[in-house]
Amino acid sequence: MPRDDATKPRRTYPTPDWQRRGADCVWLPYTQMQNAPTPLPVVATEDVYLITDDGRRLIDGMASWWTACHGYNHPHIRQAVESQLAQMPHVMFGGIHHPQALRLAERLAELTPGDLHYSFFSDSGSVAVEVALKIAVQYERNRGHVGRVKFVTFRDAYHGDTLGAMSVCDPVDGMHANFRGYLLDHYSLPIPKSPVEQLAFEHFLLEHRRELAGVIIEPMVQGAGGMKFHSAQTLAAIRATCERLDILLIADEIATGFGRTGRLFACDHADIVPDILCLGKALTGGTLSMAVTQVRPLVFKAFLSSSGPPGKIQPLMHGPTFMGNPLACAAANASLDLFESEPRVQQASGMEAVLTNGLEPCRNLPGILDVRCRGAIGVIQVSQLKELNWLRQRFIDNGIWLRPFGDIIYVTPPLSISPAQLEQLLTATVKTVREWCERVSVASDGD
Ligand SMILES: *Cc1c(COP(=O)(O)O)cnc(C)c1O
């Protein structure tokens, strides 16, 4: 058999009954499987579109959970991954260097705020958070502070689904009730916004200093915990407090990194440098699973044997099998090329005004509590997400893909979306939300 021509992109189409046959065998995320609505059958992507097996093209208003920052199937990323696949799909990172990972590490050191110089690669955001937490604990231990193992985290925080990451999520909103006794105990505080709250925050840290390994925050925008915003001043004040008290600050920019908030990194809004930074989601331009935990020399040096008495300093105890995967690194390098060659961050910052104007008509609809936008994030907060399945289906019927959850309907489109596509997305969003509000308010009139 002749080999396929590798230069030509090839589309494969599944058998007609693929969905019916396989649906019975998969377990969906966060889904009651008893009577889950049938998921959207997507067989291809292109630009900002999801293409279904019956040929419908939906504008993806979610950028596949914030990952597809350049839209889908960008030829530059595809070409980079294809040549890497031909050259070397994977090698272990233990004892081996390879060009894609080293190039990526060097570029991230350059691009990220301040002196965040060292990259530890992993395979998903949750793992990057686990690594950050472990680094902080081992950092304190290497400095001779045994017992500094607790973290301060914030209300509405979301940091991932693995044990350590789940433990620093919002304890009410998060999954704590399901895992009582299994999760680790940390301190969840409101984000200190006023000077009085900031003083109380500082007192809390002082009081608990001996047991704390760090503070973890999603800078500027808390994502999956409810899309809450705080100001650059608030972020700067938290940074300053941690600095004063010599407590590590971990910035989880897995969602906000790579332009989403209108700056390349959310920390840039406040001009701060966290001690540890987590990146993921858009890192590979929405193609492969990869994340990174970056640290400053201050942190890195505490792991060098020369920094303590003989035999006392332990190396970082982590190492995922697919760490530094060359395909994912190639995708990430190609994605960074696009941030250099295309006006991605300007598109994101410019989107804030368009989202604000476009979603404004929702503000006065019944049951809508708030409309807020930052960068390429538009949020409609509702009093209650009734008839959620109806709403989700209605978005699809109106030609767009959105996935409201909790008490919010939100849009986070690919940063590369064109003005016309964005207008189409926002028009369909407002139309659908209006239809939903009418339906829900009529239903509650009848109660
Ligand atoms: C998505 C997300 C994570 C988890 O990343 P996964 O790749 O899903 O494990 C962690 N923190 C934040 C802020 C996120 O948005």
Side-chain angles (χ1 to χ4, degrees):
M1 288 256 288
R3 304 266 310 250
D4 289 326
D5 181 353
T7 58
K8 224 176 15 187
R10 197 164 51 95
R11 283 243 171 101
T12 51
Y13 290 94
T15 54
D17 59 347
W18 64 275
Q19 190 172 24
R20 187 189 55 73
R21 294 177 58 149
D24 238 14
C25 311
V26 288
W27 201 334
L28 302 171
Y30 299 107
T31 301
Q32 171 49 255
M33 296 301 293
Q34 177 73 49
N35 43 18
T38 308
L40 187 71
V42 173
V43 293
T45 51
E46 191 185 304
D47 187 18
V48 298
Y49 298 100
L50 303 174
I51 303 169
T52 60
D53 70 352
D54 58 358
R56 282 172 296 160
R57 294 161 66 86
L58 306 180
I59 295 184
D60 183 359
M62 308 273 304
S64 277
W65 277 333
W66 316 43
T67 61
C69 51
H70 312 292
Y72 294 102
N73 311 32
H74 197 291
H76 181 67
I77 300 180
R78 192 180 70 212
Q79 195 275 325
V81 174
E82 279 174 1
S83 28
Q84 187 59 45
L85 182 64
Q87 175 110 0
M88 178 171 72
H90 183 66
V91 280
M92 63 191 280
F93 210 58
I96 291 178
H97 268 165
H98 62 81
Q100 290 287 3
L102 267 61
R103 172 136 195 272
L104 181 58
E106 192 185 346
R107 294 174 89 178
L108 289 173
E110 181 76 19
L111 277 178
T112 50
D115 57 351
L116 285 159
H117 188 77
Y118 299 94
S119 285
F120 189 97
F121 294 118
S122 58
D123 27 34
S124 77
S126 300
V127 176
V129 170
E130 297 288 343
V131 171
L133 301 174
K134 287 172 72 172
I135 288 174
V137 168
Q138 278 201 274
Y139 166 81
E140 288 293 1
R141 211 186 155 82
N142 281 345
R143 296 204 303 168
H145 300 148
V146 177
R148 292 191 179 178
V149 293
K150 292 205 183 298
F151 290 88
V152 166
T153 164
F154 296 104
R155 294 286 146 72
D156 300 309
Y158 175 79
H159 295 292
D161 287 357
T162 54
L163 177 65
M166 243 196 320
S167 300
V168 288
C169 290
D170 183 293
V172 180
D173 249 35
M175 295 147 280
H176 287 228
N178 295 299
F179 298 104
R180 187 147 297 131
Y182 174 59
L183 292 189
L184 313 163
D185 265 336
H186 296 296
Y187 296 109
S188 170
L189 307 180
I191 290 193
K193 296 188 174 171
S194 67
V196 172
E197 289 167 349
Q198 278 151 10
L199 205 61
F201 175 66
E202 179 149 357
H203 280 148
F204 185 94
L205 294 192
L206 256 177
E207 200 178 317
H208 294 271
R209 181 66 195 96
R210 272 168 216 284
E211 44 173 342
L212 293 181
V215 172
I216 181 166
I217 188 167
E218 297 155 271
M220 303 301 289
V221 177
Q222 295 177 296
M227 305 283 175
K228 303 271 165 53
F229 302 163
H230 54 265
S231 70
Q233 290 93 313
T234 292
L235 180 59
I238 292 169
R239 165 70 281 188
T241 303
C242 292
E243 186 108 51
R244 259 198 306 282
L245 302 186
D246 184 26
I247 295 178
L248 292 184
L249 178 68
I250 302 170
D252 178 352
E253 290 226 32
I254 290 164
T256 54
F258 300 106
R260 182 53 65 180
T261 64
R263 301 290 296 265
L264 190 55
F265 299 101
C267 285
D268 296 339
H269 288 277
D271 220 355
I272 63 147
V273 185
D275 300 300
I276 305 179
L277 174 71
C278 301
L279 299 173
K281 290 205 164 80
L283 174 62
T284 63
T287 53
L288 286 149
S289 181
M290 185 184 192
V292 59
T293 308
Q294 275 188 276
V295 304
R296 308 171 71 174
L298 152 94
V299 176
F300 186 80
K301 283 190 185 136
F303 289 76
L304 301 179
S305 55
S306 58
S307 75
K312 275 283 184 284
I313 303 298
Q314 291 293 314
L316 175 60
M317 293 301 186
H318 207 92
T321 305
F322 275 90
M323 170 171 194
N325 173 252
L327 290 175
C329 289
N333 277 315
S335 176
L336 293 185
D337 294 342
L338 294 176
F339 276 98
E340 285 167 14
S341 63
E342 298 183 7
R344 210 51 90 232
V345 180
Q346 293 89 306
Q347 284 175 313
S349 61
M351 218 185 288
E352 184 170 310
V354 182
L355 292 175
T356 304
N357 286 334
L359 297 178
E360 189 55 28
C362 292
R363 189 179 294 281
N364 295 320
L365 296 174
I368 304 295
L369 300 184
D370 188 28
V371 177
R372 55 181 180 270
C373 303
R374 177 166 286 170
I377 304 165
V379 183
I380 302 165
Q381 187 156 351
V382 306
S383 60
Q384 216 188 336
L385 258 189
K386 293 179 194 164
E387 308 228 30
L388 180 55
N389 290 337
W390 184 89
L391 177 61
R392 285 175 171 172
Q393 184 56 44
R394 197 72 193 151
F395 282 126
I396 295 170
D397 297 341
N398 285 331
I400 62 175
W401 173 248
L402 291 181
R403 196 144 167 95
F405 75 95
D407 59 357
I408 55 173
I409 298 164
Y410 72 100
V411 293
T412 51
L415 308 182
S416 59
I417 192 169
S418 75
Q421 290 164 333
L422 184 56
E423 191 188 319
Q424 204 183 330
L425 172 67
L426 293 175
T427 305
T429 302
V430 172
K431 171 175 186 275
T432 312
V433 170
R434 189 170 276 136
E435 289 169 353
W436 174 77
C437 286
E438 272 161 26
R439 185 183 165 90
V440 170
S441 69
V442 168
S444 55
D445 285 350
D447 282 351

